[in-house]
Amino acid sequence: MQKKIMAECAHTWRKKLRLQELMIIAKREIDAGEEIDLVYEILEDEMDTRWRFVGSTKRQYLEEIKKILANKYVLTV
C-alpha cells in the first residue's frame, strides 16, 4: 500500500512540475505578444519534444493550462 501512495505522489509531482514548466513558456510567449492559439501550438510542440505525450495527454495538459490562465485553477508550489 505504501508503495502505491508513493508512486501516486511521484506522478502528481511530475505532473505539477511539467505544468509549471509549460506555464513559464506560456507566460513568456504571451508577454511577447503571441496570439493564444500560437501559444497552445508552441506548448503542444514542447510536450512532443520533451515528454512525447500522446494526443489525449496533451489535450489534458492544455485544458489545465487554459484553466490556470483563466484563473480558474491555481498551481501551487
Side-chain angles (χ1 to χ4, degrees), residues 29-41:
E29 296 297 329
I30 290 169
D31 289 345
E34 292 294 344
E35 289 186 28
I36 196 70
D37 291 334
L38 182 58
V39 172
Y40 293 141
E41 288 180 28

Side-chain angles (χ1 to χ4, degrees), residues 16-32:
K16 186 175 182 179
L17 290 173
R18 289 173 178 158
L19 282 170
Q20 287 175 338
E21 290 180 46
L22 292 171
M23 281 304 302
I24 290 169
I25 295 167
K27 287 184 179 183
R28 182 182 64 222
E29 296 297 329
I30 290 169
D31 289 345

Side-chain angles (χ1 to χ4, degrees), residues 3-20:
K3 286 185 179 183
K4 183 177 180 183
I5 293 171
M6 290 175 66
E8 289 174 7
C9 291
H11 171 66
T12 302
W13 275 104
R14 278 194 303 272
K15 183 175 183 177
K16 186 175 182 179
L17 290 173
R18 289 173 178 158
L19 282 170
Q20 287 175 338

Side-chain angles (χ1 to χ4, degrees), residues 36-58:
I36 196 70
D37 291 334
L38 182 58
V39 172
Y40 293 141
E41 288 180 28
I42 291 168
L43 294 177
E44 281 190 57
D45 290 343
E46 197 68 29
M47 286 185 272
D48 276 340
T49 304
R50 288 186 183 200
W51 305 298
R52 299 180 187 195
F53 284 162
V54 296
S56 60
T57 304
K58 286 191 285 188

Side-chain angles (χ1 to χ4, degrees), residues 67-68 71-76:
K67 289 177 184 176
I68 294 168
N71 292 323
K72 294 181 181 177
Y73 185 75
V74 177
L75 185 63
T76 60

